[in-house]
Amino acid sequence: MTKDDILRMLRASTTDHLSGADLAARLGVSRAAVWKQIKALERDGFRIEAVPSKGYRLTASPDRIAPADVTDRLGTRVIGRALVYRTEVVSTNTLAMELAQAGAADGTVVTAEKQSGGKGRLGRTWFSPEGGLAASVILRPAIPTHQAPLVTLMGAVAAAGAISRSTGLPAGIKWPNDILVRGRKVCGLLTELSAEPDRVRHIVLGIGINVNMDRTALPAEYRERTTTLSAEKGGTVDRTGLLRELLRELDRGYRMLLKDPAAVRTAWKDLNVTLGERVAVRGGSGDVEGLARDIDAEGRLVIRLDSGGIVQVAAGDVTILKR
Ligand code: BTN
């Protein structure tokens, strides 16, 4: 019997108390052994109410990812069949790329409580302290290399879906793959690729979500444009539950990608907040301003310039201009 066994039972019964005798009998141990594990759980940061003659009830969990709870009865086909959990890494994407090179299976997930060198798009740093969610998924899709950008679009759809389902907040996608809540960024994606000219070897899809950290802890230069789920929701968000939801959404999205790649683009368009807006795109291969018309099959943003010309932009930062 481990403390995880007791935790599982307490979690399954958050409204009723579970008596020490009952727990002991179900686990085939003494009541003293149960008590010892309850104390160990409290040292881990769980709050457990103990009422004489009624028993124990879990009242609060530490804001930490519980790997066993992420994978327990997850119900996915591919994503999260293997989970690598660390308290700290430099970058989950870097570790995932190393594991992929060493042969890790399709769907393996790498997550960590915090990253000391989280990587963002366009060579930037991704601020990734405790209280955030950092996850990288190793994918081995049998797709031609030119379809690889669809993986990022699929990841953005999955992340927006998981955020909405877990928090009830409205999440939209700003091209290329920022997830916004009420106009501010809560999540970013970074895809890294190992490919041959005509086929993908493996892809690491990295997803970073600002969850429970204090908004004022975000780097000053981003603070106006970014937010956290807890700030928007007005309360702590269960990161274990959010990660589970994310893996389920990714599993659905991955299946869609392999079966019907065009459907990924449609799903992205349904959730996007960029198309139909006047935008300025900076970085990438130069600055462009115009009307965001569409995304093409390669995930590039199609912009109609004021001159009437059409350009496709592959990378950059979009600002949605006020009408
Ligand atoms: C962006 O610039 O918006 C992309 C941010 C991507 C951050 C995630 S966190 C998990 C994974 N590991 C990393 O080092 N980066 C990605």
Side-chain angles (χ1 to χ4, degrees):
M1 185 262 310
T2 64
K3 58 186 176 185
D4 286 342
D5 296 321
I6 293 191
L7 186 57
R8 213 163 292 132
M9 289 176 156
L10 290 173
R11 277 215 166 102
S13 170
T14 46
T15 46
D16 295 325
H17 289 79
L18 284 177
S19 78
D22 199 15
L23 281 167
R26 280 159 69 183
L27 293 165
V29 296
S30 69
R31 285 172 64 176
V34 168
W35 183 82
K36 228 171 119 187
Q37 297 305 333
I38 294 275
K39 290 290 142 196
L41 286 169
E42 284 178 343
R43 279 196 298 279
D44 288 348
F46 291 94
R47 266 190 269 141
I48 298 163
E49 182 184 68
V51 178
S53 81
K54 275 176 123 183
Y56 302 106
R57 190 172 69 90
L58 181 67
T59 55
S61 301
D63 181 23
R64 213 158 315 130
I65 293 163
D69 289 350
V70 174
T71 47
D72 188 32
R73 280 168 283 170
L74 184 61
T76 56
R77 291 198 201 165
V78 179
I79 309 296
R81 282 185 309 184
L83 178 75
V84 177
Y85 168 81
R86 299 274 193 275
T87 47
E88 182 170 350
V89 288
V90 175
S91 154
T92 54
N93 260 35
T94 305
L95 177 55
M97 278 305 262
E98 287 163 13
L99 294 173
Q101 249 117 45
D106 193 20
T108 300
V109 175
V110 179
T111 189
E113 297 293 343
K114 64 173 181 179
Q115 302 179 102
S116 55
K119 297 188 284 187
R121 279 192 319 117
L122 307 171
R124 296 190 189 116
T125 302
W126 178 257
F127 178 65
S128 192
E130 276 167 6
L133 184 65
S136 300
V137 187
I138 298 168
L139 300 171
R140 299 184 181 281
I143 55 172
T145 305
H146 71 87
Q147 279 187 352
L150 286 177
V151 172
T152 321
L153 300 187
M154 178 281 280
V157 171
I163 288 169
S164 303
R165 288 170 82 105
S166 306
T167 63
L169 293 167
I173 308 170
K174 189 180 79 158
W175 185 91
N177 41 49
D178 288 351
I179 312 300
L180 309 189
V181 169
R182 301 183 183 121
R184 290 201 169 111
K185 178 166 172 173
V186 287
C187 167
L189 286 89
L190 178 71
T191 307
E192 296 185 58
L193 174 71
S194 167
E196 289 164 17
D198 58 340
R199 80 172 183 101
V200 167
R201 242 183 258 124
H202 56 258
I203 294 183
V204 165
L205 173 62
I207 302 170
I209 309 180
N210 298 336
V211 190
N212 292 328
M213 59 270 234
D214 193 14
R215 236 193 105 214
T216 55
L218 297 169
E221 67 267 36
Y222 300 130
R223 214 171 291 155
E224 269 317 299
R225 285 173 282 131
T226 52
T227 188
T228 67
L229 295 182
S230 63
E232 295 304 318
K233 196 179 161 226
T236 307
V237 172
D238 168 22
R239 290 183 307 136
T240 299
L242 176 61
L243 181 55
R244 270 173 83 84
E245 204 57 65
L246 178 63
L247 302 187
R248 287 184 174 145
E249 293 280 337
L250 286 168
D251 199 64
R252 271 194 283 274
Y254 194 35
R255 240 175 295 143
M256 182 200 289
L257 173 83
L258 297 176
K259 216 174 116 206
D260 182 7
V264 173
R265 198 165 140 244
T266 309
W268 186 96
K269 282 167 113 177
D270 283 347
L271 288 172
N272 98 89
V273 295
T274 313
L275 303 185
E277 298 291 338
R278 204 177 155 74
V279 296
V281 189
R282 303 216 162 72
S285 48
D287 295 355
V288 178
E289 199 175 307
L291 181 74
R293 290 277 309 269
D294 202 357
I295 50 162
D296 67 13
E298 253 100 83
R300 292 175 302 187
L301 186 62
V302 181
I303 297 179
R304 194 183 68 216
L305 306 173
D306 294 339
S307 63
I310 299 283
V311 289
Q312 283 99 348
V313 185
D317 286 318
V318 165
T319 306
I320 297 174
L321 303 170
K322 298 269 172 284
R323 285 166 208 256

